Amino acid sequence: MKALQELGHEPIFLQIPSGPHDAPESAARHEELLGQGNYYDLRHLSAFARGANWLKVLPVRAVSWLSKKLRIDTPWRYWRPLDSHLSPETVRAVHRIIATRSCDICLVEYVFHSGVLVGLPGHVRKLIDTHDLFTNRHVGYAANGLGDSYWVSLRPGAEARALMRADGVLAIQEDEAEAFTRMLEGHPHPPSVRVVSHFPPRVKPSPPRGVTHRAAFVASYNSANMQALSLFLERGLPEVVRRDPEFRLLLAGAICSEVPDHPGMDKFGRFACLGDVFAQAPISLNPVLSGSGISVKALESLAAGAPVIATETGARGLGSLAGDALRILPDGDWASYAAALCELTLDPERCARASEQARAAAKDWNQRQRAALEELLEQNERDFFDPKNLPG
């Protein structure tokens, strides 16, 4: 939102239903950021619309239940209908607001909300901020033993149909931009695809430089983070302590209340400012082995001035930033991971230099994302046929 404002746009935020786990939001908080009257809460559907949405996913739930019961592994157990999150009631409400407020750009979050774009007037530029690649998303999670933690998975072809509803597509990282481009090959009048990633917020520098032998794992509570913490404590921490006997891990975030205590770990708990965490542990760890999209955790750590020690999965999409500020190690190679970490825990001066490089890398990253976003917003509208895709 701030990037759009800095580029001279007036963002209007329409919050629509995203499934059963919608987080409570504060209208006051949004209006403080966007201006009074620029936040619309459209999450409350009529009973009829809620029932219709439930019926959309009933076949998937039935197949999932039956396949588990019979121990049959079929991809139909995981695939959701493309527009299962979206109600015609929501689409009509969005279109009314766009018309009333004379919006000239509609930016939709996630491909499974792309049905909102269908039927908009030709003068409205239609964009999708994808956040992630959802075609067969369940496969990678299952391969890492995380089963049903994939959230949404789409069957091949559905994601391309969603992308074709747009004039422009924002991919969160280069690999996904290439995947979207391949999906669109052979389609007439494909949308432009550009990499526009996460904008890490500016974080006030933390003053202390005297903290040594400590690193932080900042994590929300989800299966990928739980797995990463468990494996680090079991396999990585012994390797670290062998090299740096004074080392202690600082755990921060919502995960703290969900895991038992450990003799080599301190808990920070929830925090208001990321800089407060890194004031106590100046290095950020991201040892995750599952995930997709881009590593927001690593980006925001860099912006806070914390050098990052990451697995390949934990640094996904950030290969261009690899260096002293972002060390990228092979997934599961705990000896190499520990060695890279201890190069900083045992050398405060090197850690301080890496901290400055981290801030510089994050600043350069933001400038590149802003330039890409500006290009996509200002790009001339392409020719397209309006009913190119129907919601389904």
Side-chain angles (χ1 to χ4, degrees), residues 19 30 85 157 160 268 280 298 308 316 347:
H30 282 99
H85 285 81
F268 188 96
Q280 295 190 23
V308 178
R316 58 195 180 279
D347 189 342

Side-chain angles (χ1 to χ4, degrees), residues 25-303:
E25 296 287 352
S26 163
R29 182 171 66 85
H30 282 99
E31 290 195 341
E32 181 181 356
L33 173 65
L34 302 169
Q36 189 171 6
N38 284 345
Y39 170 67
Y40 296 82
D41 187 350
L42 304 180
R43 289 172 297 164
H44 307 290
L45 296 173
S46 67
F48 176 81
R50 292 197 303 271
N53 277 1
W54 185 83
L55 288 173
K56 285 182 186 178
V57 297
L58 179 59
V60 177
R61 289 173 176 163
V63 170
S64 178
W65 179 85
L66 186 61
S67 62
K68 288 178 181 177
K69 198 78 172 174
L70 300 177
R71 298 183 180 180
I72 299 173
D73 190 20
T74 169
W76 290 96
R77 161 184 167 184
Y78 305 99
W79 292 333
R80 289 180 69 100
L82 173 59
D83 294 315
S84 61
H85 285 81
L86 203 59
S87 165
E89 185 177 292
T90 300
V91 175
R92 289 192 295 269
V94 170
H95 286 198
R96 280 195 300 270
I97 295 170
I98 288 174
T100 302
R101 299 296 300 270
S102 301
C103 300
D104 52 10
I105 297 173
C106 180
L107 173 62
V108 170
E109 304 294 324
Y110 297 108
V111 291
F112 46 76
H113 292 148
S114 62
V116 164
L117 303 177
V118 177
L120 285 175
H123 69 273
V124 177
R125 183 158 175 76
K126 306 164 188 66
L127 305 175
I128 300 175
D129 188 3
T130 57
H131 289 277
D132 215 332
L133 182 69
F134 287 96
T135 298
N136 283 334
R137 191 170 188 260
H138 64 280
V139 173
Y141 281 79
N144 282 293
L146 295 180
D148 295 331
S149 301
Y150 58 90
W151 186 29
V152 172
S153 188
L154 299 175
R155 63 186 176 86
E159 197 153 25
R161 186 155 53 95
L163 300 177
M164 282 299 297
R165 295 166 170 172
D167 302 315
V169 173
L170 287 67
I172 204 166
Q173 50 130 304
E174 193 64 45
D175 288 348
E176 294 187 5
E178 292 174 2
F180 293 141
T181 301
R182 289 194 298 271
M183 284 182 195
L184 295 167
E185 288 177 356
H187 288 267
H189 311 285
S192 304
V193 179
R194 296 288 184 275
V195 176
V196 182
S197 193
H198 180 68
F199 289 78
R202 302 180 185 93
V203 179
K204 186 177 179 180
S206 303
R209 283 277 186 256
V211 179
T212 57
H213 311 290
R214 290 171 70 84
F217 181 38
V218 181
S220 58
Y221 174 54
N222 62 47
S223 55
N225 287 334
M226 293 287 284
Q227 179 192 56
L229 176 63
S230 175
L231 289 173
F232 178 79
L233 292 175
E234 177 187 342
R235 303 176 189 176
L237 186 59
E239 292 281 348
V240 175
V241 173
R242 186 169 62 82
R243 293 169 171 83
D244 181 359
E246 297 181 55
F247 177 82
R248 291 193 67 79
L249 174 67
L250 181 66
L251 186 67
I255 193 173
C256 289
S257 60
E258 306 296 334
V259 298
D261 294 340
H262 186 281
M265 179 179 75
D266 301 316
K267 292 181 179 178
F268 188 96
R270 294 178 183 269
F271 53 88
C273 175
L274 195 55
D276 295 339
V277 177
F278 295 129
Q280 295 190 23
I283 303 163
S284 177
L285 304 184
N286 196 12
V288 297
L289 301 178
S290 297
S292 54
I294 197 140
S295 179
V296 173
K297 190 199 313 284
L299 273 176
E300 295 192 349
S301 297
L302 293 172

Side-chain angles (χ1 to χ4, degrees), residues 350-368:
R350 181 172 180 175
C351 188
R353 290 194 300 272
S355 173
E356 295 304 317
Q357 293 168 4
R359 287 189 178 279
K363 182 179 179 181
D364 176 68
W365 176 272
N366 269 359
Q367 290 172 343
R368 284 188 281 143

